[in-house]
Amino acid sequence: MQEQRRGTPSIILLHYHLRPGGVTKVMEQQARALDALGYPWLGLVGHNPKGIPGFQTLERLNYDVYLQDSLLDEERRYHNLSTDIHRAIQAWKTSDSPVIIHAHNVTLEKNTALLPALQRLQSMGYRFLLQLHDFAEDGRPQVYSPEDYPQDCHFAVINSRDFRALMQAGLSSPGLHRLPNQVSPLPLPAPREPANNPAPAGSSSSGSLAQSLGKSRLILYPVRAIRRKNIGEVILLSRILEDTALAVTLPPNNPADNQTYRFWQDLVRSLDAPVQLGAGEQWAFEDLVAQADSFLSTSVQEGFGFAFLEPWTIQKPVGGRYLEMVCPDFEHQGMNLSHLYTSIRIPLSWFNTEKVRQDWLGENQKRIHAFYQVVAKNPDNQQNTLQALELLLKDLPDRWSRLVQDGTLDFAILPREEQAAIISRLSPDNRADKDHLLALNPQLAAWPLAGSAPPLHQGAVAENTRVVTTVYSAEAYANRLSRVYSQVLQDHLEHSISKTSLLLSFLNPEGLYLSAM
């Protein structure tokens, strides 16, 4: 442990695990920020598969499914867990400086002992910063905890949508902090000396991906092709954009997404569409980044939205679907995202409207019923929640009617089979339907990433690049983190979260996309 400046807090970074993923990436960035700030820190996690330095493993922090003591009585489990955390901190500390436990995603019920363990640690005098990246209320009833969430402590979120939801649920602004993620520059290939270092097969120097698909321009979607990334819309765009190939970098790594991925692979092959799924399996990521003329996001759900920011670090534009949950934050910082589209309207006559209506109602009913069943197991002080869920169920038909009142529906709401039928309908020789679609969606015809439209103004590219490389830089992130920790030490809070309000903030039927199911 490094020598500590007087008055500097000791930080404990705490999470269930360090498996590859978004939270692990953030925690590694926080560790580097703390090193830069000179703050002593210790990581406590339930599993550290890659042996990331600075993180100590406490097995009782892991998910319940991996724990041998998950059959013990609840009181004994949380007492054991809180004792493990306390002992690890005390064995590590070398001064009497204040300790802040910066814990991640604790409201997801992945370990049923964690919330009561934190309550016990709070009674022992520990201060908390609880950073919430994901919410069980956001369509994940299987990890919705019946426990009350921690009270009278500080919380942090990564976007303004979550900030507003928690404010409406009862938190006060001194104890709720925006902590947007750090954005690192995208990698580019190192310069090569052609005579001495010929390019390997599958690199940009041995021919381009766009050329292999018979096009001159490449739009890259640098994600895993999981369902919420809305891959059908990528293929739809390939039927609209001129002289443009599209590529998605990686296949899914979750078996639950494999069937949908194979469905889209089969469609691309059958249509001979200029789309490469899993391009990163054949090309180095750096070479794909270098080849890309621009980048794409068609996702229907994001927590932070790296895909909207990272390409600007190398002065390449991003196009695609505007997400209300993250994009306003970027615009507030000064980015110009006016070229993004908010939806792709499809005429109701192009698909089986009644079947889609029944599917949409059924999936929403299933989701609401799942939360109802969890809440009903602990009905004390939950009657308001149960009544609100019942009203939401009754209101579903009216909400559907409002979605289709103009005679169209957003393409992303459709299930994959209906999406595929529409993509197939827009064949190269069906000019009439393509013109009709563009008339309904004029922003696509004028899209700066389309070969037939004027490119995005260089001033907008330069300004977006400036915002991303300054507002979301490593230095800016470390400064934000330091300010939040100072407030955690200074402010004594009395506030709590209304779980009813929080659930209703996220349980938005209009935000259900059948393409992501």
Side-chain angles (χ1 to χ4, degrees), residues 79 89 105 163 167 180 225 289 315 322 402 445 516:
H79 186 277
I89 294 171
N105 270 356
F163 185 93
M167 285 287 288
V289 169
Q315 300 183 46
Y322 184 95
R402 290 194 289 271

Side-chain angles (χ1 to χ4, degrees), residues 356-421:
V356 173
R357 174 182 178 274
Q358 291 298 332
D359 288 349
W360 186 88
L361 291 173
E363 289 295 338
N364 265 305
Q365 289 164 353
K366 186 189 304 182
R367 185 168 61 164
I368 295 168
H369 277 302
F371 279 108
Y372 191 97
Q373 290 170 357
V374 174
V375 174
K377 291 178 182 177
N378 296 274
D380 293 345
N381 303 318
Q382 299 282 342
Q383 290 305 313
N384 288 341
T385 305
L386 295 174
Q387 291 172 6
L389 292 175
E390 291 167 0
L391 289 174
L392 193 57
L393 280 169
K394 293 178 181 177
D395 195 38
L396 286 177
D398 287 341
R399 289 178 179 245
W400 168 263
S401 296
R402 290 194 289 271
L403 279 179
V404 297
Q405 62 185 354
D406 67 349
T408 69
L409 185 67
D410 184 7
F411 180 81
I413 293 177
L414 296 170
R416 68 187 187 197
E417 293 80 9
E418 296 289 351
Q419 287 187 332

Side-chain angles (χ1 to χ4, degrees), residues 429-446:
D429 57 353
N430 186 356
R431 188 71 209 183
D433 280 348
K434 180 179 177 180
D435 288 345
H436 187 194
L437 184 68
L438 291 176
L440 287 173
N441 301 278
Q443 75 277 25
L444 292 181

Side-chain angles (χ1 to χ4, degrees), residues 135 157-171 176-178 322-329 332 501-502 505-506:
F135 291 79
V157 292
I158 57 177
N159 64 55
S160 291
R161 179 201 66 163
D162 299 346
F163 185 93
R164 288 191 299 271
L166 286 169
M167 285 287 288
Q168 292 167 3
L171 294 188
L176 179 59
H177 310 276
R178 293 180 179 89
Y322 184 95
L323 282 186
E324 191 65 41
M325 62 188 69
V326 296
C327 289
D329 286 349
H332 179 73
S501 173
L502 190 63
S505 291
F506 282 101

